[in-house]
Amino acid sequence: MLDSHFFSYSDGTLCCDEVRLDGLAEQFGTPLYVISRQSLINQFRSFEAAFAGLPHFTCYSVKANFNLSVIRTLVDEGCGCDVNSGGELFRALKAGISPDKIIMAGVGKTEQEIEYGLNSGVLLLKSESVSELKAIDRVAGRLGKKANVAIRINPNVTAETHPYITTGDSKEKFGIDEAELGEVFGLFRTLPNLSLDGLDMHIGSQIFDPEYYVAATQKLLDVLDTARLLGFDIKWFDIGGGFPVTYDPQKPATPIDRFAEKLVPMLDGRGVTVIFEPGRFIAANSSVLLTKVLYRKRNHVGKEFFIVDAGMTELIRPALYQSHHEVISVKRHEDSVTADVVGPVCESSDFFARQRMIDNVREGELLAVLSTGAYAAVMGSNYNGRLRPAEVMVDGGEAKLVRRRETYEQLVQNEV
Ligand SMILES: *Cc1c(COP(=O)(O)O)cnc(C)c1O
């Protein structure tokens, strides 16, 4: 049913690691994100096993799920962190990771964020433009520091995925264009506070075909050759994240070993440490979103709606990327119906599933929206005055609250 087997039925009731989800809904309320700690650990370990043959450093992409307990779980496994903003840097540091295991990305870092990164002592600042390199130099000079920089190259490879999550194409805002590389290398000679330590790319997300990585990696290897000819001592070779997971059992993701089979031989023996930045691969299937069916209704054309208490404010992926998420009943039923599963938010795009065969649950019963560990809670909002849900982490048969449900008071606390 999922990549990870940490959510499964026992005696007709959906459980996470032997903890019944109906019990969690009763204890913590709904909507509720339920995260399996062991699933996170297993995904990280399977990633590490696939690339064991390569000198590498895996940095979890914090933006996929930035709950402190999620970050801490991975940090305890020896994972590094890839952060995209000052806020994510703050979270990673709060989770207790050593700053020299953090790499900092972001296409539009402000001077304050650059300063925060440099003062924290992050391993690498990734830069995406000539202007930003000048800003990093300026800030580093002011602080009396040398900035360790990786340049993000746009390899101009269009990976086949949803257009909103392809990032390595020339028409996207990300990375430095090939045509600009000469100028960029020149800059490192004139800007005294920068040290070019790494090359970087990230071609998109949920990429099923390893050949896109092969094509982009080849381009980055060519840049590595050029950089070395010019005398730069490149230590880090960052090929980004984007490794796929299964959302729809009809469309299983390419196993991570297929990526390793192609990439390890290409990258081995290059005298660099390869950085990976998986986010979705580690987190997506570690969590489900528990939601209660508030109402059922059927319209005059016979269309059936399940109106649930979670919505696009807790999971925007179907609205934003037309993503598929499995929706299953917490209590198994013998019979099923075809229905739309929709939320309470005032938008027609507020749905989880359309025209889906689903267990014939009654009002008041629970559904689980699967694969909500990545790009769900982190994209949550208070639209419609909705409260961000609680989050629970299950570990070894026990559930712990790792984020409290928001309150109405918190909705207005910053208004003056
Ligand atoms: C989003 C992002 C990632 C993670 O992508 P996944 O598809 O979740 O693996 C890695 N690196 C960068 C620079 C990103 O922006």
PDB file of all heavy atoms in Angstrom, residues 191-217:
ATOM      1  N   LEU A 191      36.971  38.677  -5.725  1.00  0.00           N
ATOM      2  CA  LEU A 191      36.281  38.874  -4.450  1.00  0.00           C
ATOM      3  C   LEU A 191      37.044  38.121  -3.361  1.00  0.00           C
ATOM      4  O   LEU A 191      37.089  36.898  -3.367  1.00  0.00           O
ATOM      5  CB  LEU A 191      34.824  38.395  -4.538  1.00  0.00           C
ATOM      6  CG  LEU A 191      33.974  39.111  -5.604  1.00  0.00           C
ATOM      7  CD1 LEU A 191      32.558  38.535  -5.649  1.00  0.00           C
ATOM      8  CD2 LEU A 191      33.925  40.613  -5.360  1.00  0.00           C
ATOM      9  N   PRO A 192      37.644  38.853  -2.433  1.00  0.00           N
ATOM     10  CA  PRO A 192      38.612  38.242  -1.515  1.00  0.00           C
ATOM     11  C   PRO A 192      37.993  37.397  -0.407  1.00  0.00           C
ATOM     12  O   PRO A 192      38.690  36.602   0.216  1.00  0.00           O
ATOM     13  CB  PRO A 192      39.322  39.454  -0.905  1.00  0.00           C
ATOM     14  CG  PRO A 192      38.315  40.568  -1.005  1.00  0.00           C
ATOM     15  CD  PRO A 192      37.521  40.306  -2.247  1.00  0.00           C
ATOM     16  N   ASN A 193      36.696  37.558  -0.170  1.00  0.00           N
ATOM     17  CA  ASN A 193      36.116  36.893   1.002  1.00  0.00           C
ATOM     18  C   ASN A 193      35.355  35.615   0.664  1.00  0.00           C
ATOM     19  O   ASN A 193      34.610  35.095   1.485  1.00  0.00           O
ATOM     20  CB  ASN A 193      35.194  37.874   1.740  1.00  0.00           C
ATOM     21  CG  ASN A 193      35.892  39.179   2.028  1.00  0.00           C
ATOM     22  OD1 ASN A 193      36.968  39.187   2.621  1.00  0.00           O
ATOM     23  ND2 ASN A 193      35.321  40.276   1.554  1.00  0.00           N
ATOM     24  N   LEU A 194      35.542  35.151  -0.582  1.00  0.00           N
ATOM     25  CA  LEU A 194      34.849  33.941  -1.015  1.00  0.00           C
ATOM     26  C   LEU A 194      35.850  32.834  -1.287  1.00  0.00           C
ATOM     27  O   LEU A 194      36.934  33.075  -1.802  1.00  0.00           O
ATOM     28  CB  LEU A 194      34.072  34.187  -2.314  1.00  0.00           C
ATOM     29  CG  LEU A 194      33.009  35.272  -2.345  1.00  0.00           C
ATOM     30  CD1 LEU A 194      32.327  35.287  -3.720  1.00  0.00           C
ATOM     31  CD2 LEU A 194      31.993  35.067  -1.241  1.00  0.00           C
ATOM     32  N   SER A 195      35.440  31.606  -0.943  1.00  0.00           N
ATOM     33  CA  SER A 195      36.228  30.446  -1.330  1.00  0.00           C
ATOM     34  C   SER A 195      35.298  29.492  -2.075  1.00  0.00           C
ATOM     35  O   SER A 195      34.252  29.085  -1.542  1.00  0.00           O
ATOM     36  CB  SER A 195      36.798  29.793  -0.060  1.00  0.00           C
ATOM     37  OG  SER A 195      37.250  28.500  -0.350  1.00  0.00           O
ATOM     38  N   LEU A 196      35.650  29.188  -3.314  1.00  0.00           N
ATOM     39  CA  LEU A 196      34.796  28.284  -4.105  1.00  0.00           C
ATOM     40  C   LEU A 196      35.131  26.849  -3.735  1.00  0.00           C
ATOM     41  O   LEU A 196      36.153  26.303  -4.152  1.00  0.00           O
ATOM     42  CB  LEU A 196      35.005  28.524  -5.608  1.00  0.00           C
ATOM     43  CG  LEU A 196      34.205  27.593  -6.539  1.00  0.00           C
ATOM     44  CD1 LEU A 196      32.703  27.687  -6.274  1.00  0.00           C
ATOM     45  CD2 LEU A 196      34.503  27.886  -8.008  1.00  0.00           C
ATOM     46  N   ASP A 197      34.252  26.229  -2.956  1.00  0.00           N
ATOM     47  CA  ASP A 197      34.503  24.882  -2.437  1.00  0.00           C
ATOM     48  C   ASP A 197      33.635  23.813  -3.066  1.00  0.00           C
ATOM     49  O   ASP A 197      33.884  22.630  -2.905  1.00  0.00           O
ATOM     50  CB  ASP A 197      34.224  24.847  -0.921  1.00  0.00           C
ATOM     51  CG  ASP A 197      35.241  25.635  -0.127  1.00  0.00           C
ATOM     52  OD1 ASP A 197      36.220  26.088  -0.738  1.00  0.00           O
ATOM     53  OD2 ASP A 197      35.038  25.797   1.087  1.00  0.00           O
ATOM     54  N   GLY A 198      32.527  24.238  -3.723  1.00  0.00           N
ATOM     55  CA  GLY A 198      31.600  23.217  -4.198  1.00  0.00           C
ATOM     56  C   GLY A 198      30.844  23.605  -5.445  1.00  0.00           C
ATOM     57  O   GLY A 198      30.725  24.780  -5.791  1.00  0.00           O
ATOM     58  N   LEU A 199      30.356  22.576  -6.119  1.00  0.00           N
ATOM     59  CA  LEU A 199      29.456  22.745  -7.259  1.00  0.00           C
ATOM     60  C   LEU A 199      28.144  22.083  -6.879  1.00  0.00           C
ATOM     61  O   LEU A 199      28.131  21.064  -6.184  1.00  0.00           O
ATOM     62  CB  LEU A 199      30.033  22.096  -8.518  1.00  0.00           C
ATOM     63  CG  LEU A 199      31.396  22.612  -8.958  1.00  0.00           C
ATOM     64  CD1 LEU A 199      31.882  21.812 -10.176  1.00  0.00           C
ATOM     65  CD2 LEU A 199      31.333  24.102  -9.290  1.00  0.00           C
ATOM     66  N   ASP A 200      27.070  22.651  -7.394  1.00  0.00           N
ATOM     67  CA  ASP A 200      25.757  22.235  -6.905  1.00  0.00           C
ATOM     68  C   ASP A 200      24.740  22.282  -8.025  1.00  0.00           C
ATOM     69  O   ASP A 200      24.851  23.078  -8.959  1.00  0.00           O
ATOM     70  CB  ASP A 200      25.353  23.203  -5.769  1.00  0.00           C
ATOM     71  CG  ASP A 200      23.907  23.082  -5.339  1.00  0.00           C
ATOM     72  OD1 ASP A 200      23.521  21.993  -4.882  1.00  0.00           O
ATOM     73  OD2 ASP A 200      23.166  24.072  -5.453  1.00  0.00           O
ATOM     74  N   MET A 201      23.747  21.395  -7.924  1.00  0.00           N
ATOM     75  CA  MET A 201      22.585  21.472  -8.811  1.00  0.00           C
ATOM     76  C   MET A 201      21.403  20.840  -8.094  1.00  0.00           C
ATOM     77  O   MET A 201      21.557  20.159  -7.081  1.00  0.00           O
ATOM     78  CB  MET A 201      22.853  20.727 -10.123  1.00  0.00           C
ATOM     79  CG  MET A 201      22.986  19.222  -9.951  1.00  0.00           C
ATOM     80  SD  MET A 201      23.282  18.402 -11.527  1.00  0.00           S
ATOM     81  CE  MET A 201      23.010  16.689 -11.067  1.00  0.00           C
ATOM     82  N   HIS A 202      20.225  21.102  -8.595  1.00  0.00           N
ATOM     83  CA  HIS A 202      19.017  20.425  -8.118  1.00  0.00           C
ATOM     84  C   HIS A 202      18.033  20.546  -9.258  1.00  0.00           C
ATOM     85  O   HIS A 202      17.602  21.642  -9.600  1.00  0.00           O
ATOM     86  CB  HIS A 202      18.477  21.089  -6.845  1.00  0.00           C
ATOM     87  CG  HIS A 202      17.129  20.565  -6.430  1.00  0.00           C
ATOM     88  ND1 HIS A 202      16.948  19.289  -5.944  1.00  0.00           N
ATOM     89  CD2 HIS A 202      15.897  21.136  -6.453  1.00  0.00           C
ATOM     90  CE1 HIS A 202      15.649  19.099  -5.679  1.00  0.00           C
ATOM     91  NE2 HIS A 202      15.007  20.197  -5.980  1.00  0.00           N
ATOM     92  N   ILE A 203      17.695  19.414  -9.880  1.00  0.00           N
ATOM     93  CA  ILE A 203      16.974  19.503 -11.154  1.00  0.00           C
ATOM     94  C   ILE A 203      15.461  19.386 -11.013  1.00  0.00           C
ATOM     95  O   ILE A 203      14.749  19.515 -11.998  1.00  0.00           O
ATOM     96  CB  ILE A 203      17.503  18.464 -12.182  1.00  0.00           C
ATOM     97  CG1 ILE A 203      17.444  17.037 -11.631  1.00  0.00           C
ATOM     98  CG2 ILE A 203      18.903  18.834 -12.623  1.00  0.00           C
ATOM     99  CD1 ILE A 203      17.821  15.967 -12.666  1.00  0.00           C
ATOM    100  N   GLY A 204      14.989  19.166  -9.790  1.00  0.00           N
ATOM    101  CA  GLY A 204      13.542  19.094  -9.619  1.00  0.00           C
ATOM    102  C   GLY A 204      13.180  18.044  -8.600  1.00  0.00           C
ATOM    103  O   GLY A 204      14.033  17.599  -7.830  1.00  0.00           O
ATOM    104  N   SER A 205      11.929  17.666  -8.605  1.00  0.00           N
ATOM    105  CA  SER A 205      11.439  16.773  -7.561  1.00  0.00           C
ATOM    106  C   SER A 205      10.558  15.691  -8.167  1.00  0.00           C
ATOM    107  O   SER A 205       9.916  15.904  -9.188  1.00  0.00           O
ATOM    108  CB  SER A 205      10.634  17.597  -6.562  1.00  0.00           C
ATOM    109  OG  SER A 205      10.464  16.894  -5.366  1.00  0.00           O
ATOM    110  N   GLN A 206      10.551  14.540  -7.490  1.00  0.00           N
ATOM    111  CA  GLN A 206       9.715  13.403  -7.934  1.00  0.00           C
ATOM    112  C   GLN A 206      10.105  13.023  -9.372  1.00  0.00           C
ATOM    113  O   GLN A 206       9.269  12.916 -10.267  1.00  0.00           O
ATOM    114  CB  GLN A 206       8.230  13.795  -7.790  1.00  0.00           C
ATOM    115  CG  GLN A 206       7.213  12.693  -8.006  1.00  0.00           C
ATOM    116  CD  GLN A 206       7.263  11.599  -6.941  1.00  0.00           C
ATOM    117  OE1 GLN A 206       8.165  11.520  -6.136  1.00  0.00           O
ATOM    118  NE2 GLN A 206       6.293  10.721  -6.960  1.00  0.00           N
ATOM    119  N   ILE A 207      11.418  12.818  -9.550  1.00  0.00           N
ATOM    120  CA  ILE A 207      11.970  12.488 -10.865  1.00  0.00           C
ATOM    121  C   ILE A 207      12.128  10.975 -10.971  1.00  0.00           C
ATOM    122  O   ILE A 207      12.895  10.372 -10.219  1.00  0.00           O
ATOM    123  CB  ILE A 207      13.314  13.210 -11.061  1.00  0.00           C
ATOM    124  CG1 ILE A 207      13.056  14.719 -11.087  1.00  0.00           C
ATOM    125  CG2 ILE A 207      14.024  12.755 -12.331  1.00  0.00           C
ATOM    126  CD1 ILE A 207      14.289  15.552 -10.950  1.00  0.00           C
ATOM    127  N   PHE A 208      11.390  10.376 -11.877  1.00  0.00           N
ATOM    128  CA  PHE A 208      11.349   8.911 -11.966  1.00  0.00           C
ATOM    129  C   PHE A 208      12.494   8.327 -12.788  1.00  0.00           C
ATOM    130  O   PHE A 208      12.874   7.180 -12.584  1.00  0.00           O
ATOM    131  CB  PHE A 208      10.007   8.458 -12.571  1.00  0.00           C
ATOM    132  CG  PHE A 208       8.913   8.282 -11.561  1.00  0.00           C
ATOM    133  CD1 PHE A 208       8.626   9.296 -10.656  1.00  0.00           C
ATOM    134  CD2 PHE A 208       8.174   7.111 -11.496  1.00  0.00           C
ATOM    135  CE1 PHE A 208       7.620   9.140  -9.701  1.00  0.00           C
ATOM    136  CE2 PHE A 208       7.170   6.940 -10.553  1.00  0.00           C
ATOM    137  CZ  PHE A 208       6.894   7.957  -9.667  1.00  0.00           C
ATOM    138  N   ASP A 209      13.008   9.073 -13.744  1.00  0.00           N
ATOM    139  CA  ASP A 209      13.968   8.502 -14.685  1.00  0.00           C
ATOM    140  C   ASP A 209      15.403   8.896 -14.325  1.00  0.00           C
ATOM    141  O   ASP A 209      15.766  10.074 -14.396  1.00  0.00           O
ATOM    142  CB  ASP A 209      13.630   8.991 -16.103  1.00  0.00           C
ATOM    143  CG  ASP A 209      14.476   8.302 -17.161  1.00  0.00           C
ATOM    144  OD1 ASP A 209      15.472   7.626 -16.798  1.00  0.00           O
ATOM    145  OD2 ASP A 209      14.144   8.454 -18.354  1.00  0.00           O
ATOM    146  N   PRO A 210      16.242   7.909 -13.949  1.00  0.00           N
ATOM    147  CA  PRO A 210      17.622   8.221 -13.557  1.00  0.00           C
ATOM    148  C   PRO A 210      18.407   8.936 -14.655  1.00  0.00           C
ATOM    149  O   PRO A 210      19.389   9.628 -14.374  1.00  0.00           O
ATOM    150  CB  PRO A 210      18.236   6.849 -13.280  1.00  0.00           C
ATOM    151  CG  PRO A 210      17.095   5.938 -13.020  1.00  0.00           C
ATOM    152  CD  PRO A 210      15.940   6.471 -13.817  1.00  0.00           C
ATOM    153  N   GLU A 211      17.968   8.808 -15.903  1.00  0.00           N
ATOM    154  CA  GLU A 211      18.733   9.415 -17.000  1.00  0.00           C
ATOM    155  C   GLU A 211      18.821  10.943 -16.884  1.00  0.00           C
ATOM    156  O   GLU A 211      19.778  11.551 -17.360  1.00  0.00           O
ATOM    157  CB  GLU A 211      18.153   9.027 -18.360  1.00  0.00           C
ATOM    158  CG  GLU A 211      18.378   7.564 -18.733  1.00  0.00           C
ATOM    159  CD  GLU A 211      19.855   7.113 -18.654  1.00  0.00           C
ATOM    160  OE1 GLU A 211      20.752   7.926 -18.979  1.00  0.00           O
ATOM    161  OE2 GLU A 211      20.103   5.958 -18.244  1.00  0.00           O
ATOM    162  N   TYR A 212      17.817  11.562 -16.257  1.00  0.00           N
ATOM    163  CA  TYR A 212      17.897  13.013 -16.058  1.00  0.00           C
ATOM    164  C   TYR A 212      19.066  13.366 -15.139  1.00  0.00           C
ATOM    165  O   TYR A 212      19.766  14.347 -15.344  1.00  0.00           O
ATOM    166  CB  TYR A 212      16.594  13.567 -15.487  1.00  0.00           C
ATOM    167  CG  TYR A 212      15.440  13.482 -16.462  1.00  0.00           C
ATOM    168  CD1 TYR A 212      14.350  12.669 -16.198  1.00  0.00           C
ATOM    169  CD2 TYR A 212      15.453  14.210 -17.640  1.00  0.00           C
ATOM    170  CE1 TYR A 212      13.285  12.584 -17.093  1.00  0.00           C
ATOM    171  CE2 TYR A 212      14.404  14.135 -18.536  1.00  0.00           C
ATOM    172  CZ  TYR A 212      13.323  13.319 -18.255  1.00  0.00           C
ATOM    173  OH  TYR A 212      12.281  13.246 -19.143  1.00  0.00           O
ATOM    174  N   TYR A 213      19.247  12.531 -14.117  1.00  0.00           N
ATOM    175  CA  TYR A 213      20.382  12.764 -13.213  1.00  0.00           C
ATOM    176  C   TYR A 213      21.697  12.529 -13.945  1.00  0.00           C
ATOM    177  O   TYR A 213      22.669  13.253 -13.746  1.00  0.00           O
ATOM    178  CB  TYR A 213      20.312  11.829 -11.997  1.00  0.00           C
ATOM    179  CG  TYR A 213      19.287  12.228 -10.987  1.00  0.00           C
ATOM    180  CD1 TYR A 213      17.987  11.750 -11.068  1.00  0.00           C
ATOM    181  CD2 TYR A 213      19.611  13.097  -9.949  1.00  0.00           C
ATOM    182  CE1 TYR A 213      17.037  12.118 -10.152  1.00  0.00           C
ATOM    183  CE2 TYR A 213      18.661  13.477  -9.011  1.00  0.00           C
ATOM    184  CZ  TYR A 213      17.373  12.984  -9.115  1.00  0.00           C
ATOM    185  OH  TYR A 213      16.430  13.361  -8.199  1.00  0.00           O
ATOM    186  N   VAL A 214      21.712  11.506 -14.773  1.00  0.00           N
ATOM    187  CA  VAL A 214      22.931  11.190 -15.516  1.00  0.00           C
ATOM    188  C   VAL A 214      23.308  12.377 -16.406  1.00  0.00           C
ATOM    189  O   VAL A 214      24.464  12.837 -16.403  1.00  0.00           O
ATOM    190  CB  VAL A 214      22.733   9.904 -16.355  1.00  0.00           C
ATOM    191  CG1 VAL A 214      23.895   9.704 -17.327  1.00  0.00           C
ATOM    192  CG2 VAL A 214      22.572   8.697 -15.430  1.00  0.00           C
ATOM    193  N   ALA A 215      22.324  12.906 -17.137  1.00  0.00           N
ATOM    194  CA  ALA A 215      22.605  14.022 -18.056  1.00  0.00           C
ATOM    195  C   ALA A 215      23.090  15.251 -17.287  1.00  0.00           C
ATOM    196  O   ALA A 215      24.073  15.900 -17.674  1.00  0.00           O
ATOM    197  CB  ALA A 215      21.346  14.360 -18.859  1.00  0.00           C
ATOM    198  N   ALA A 216      22.408  15.561 -16.191  1.00  0.00           N
ATOM    199  CA  ALA A 216      22.779  16.761 -15.436  1.00  0.00           C
ATOM    200  C   ALA A 216      24.114  16.566 -14.728  1.00  0.00           C
ATOM    201  O   ALA A 216      24.937  17.491 -14.672  1.00  0.00           O
ATOM    202  CB  ALA A 216      21.673  17.100 -14.436  1.00  0.00           C
ATOM    203  N   THR A 217      24.339  15.368 -14.206  1.00  0.00           N
ATOM    204  CA  THR A 217      25.606  15.092 -13.516  1.00  0.00           C
ATOM    205  C   THR A 217      26.774  15.206 -14.496  1.00  0.00           C
ATOM    206  O   THR A 217      27.836  15.730 -14.153  1.00  0.00           O
ATOM    207  CB  THR A 217      25.572  13.685 -12.875  1.00  0.00           C
ATOM    208  OG1 THR A 217      24.531  13.668 -11.900  1.00  0.00           O
ATOM    209  CG2 THR A 217      26.892  13.345 -12.200  1.00  0.00           C
TER     210      THR A 217
END
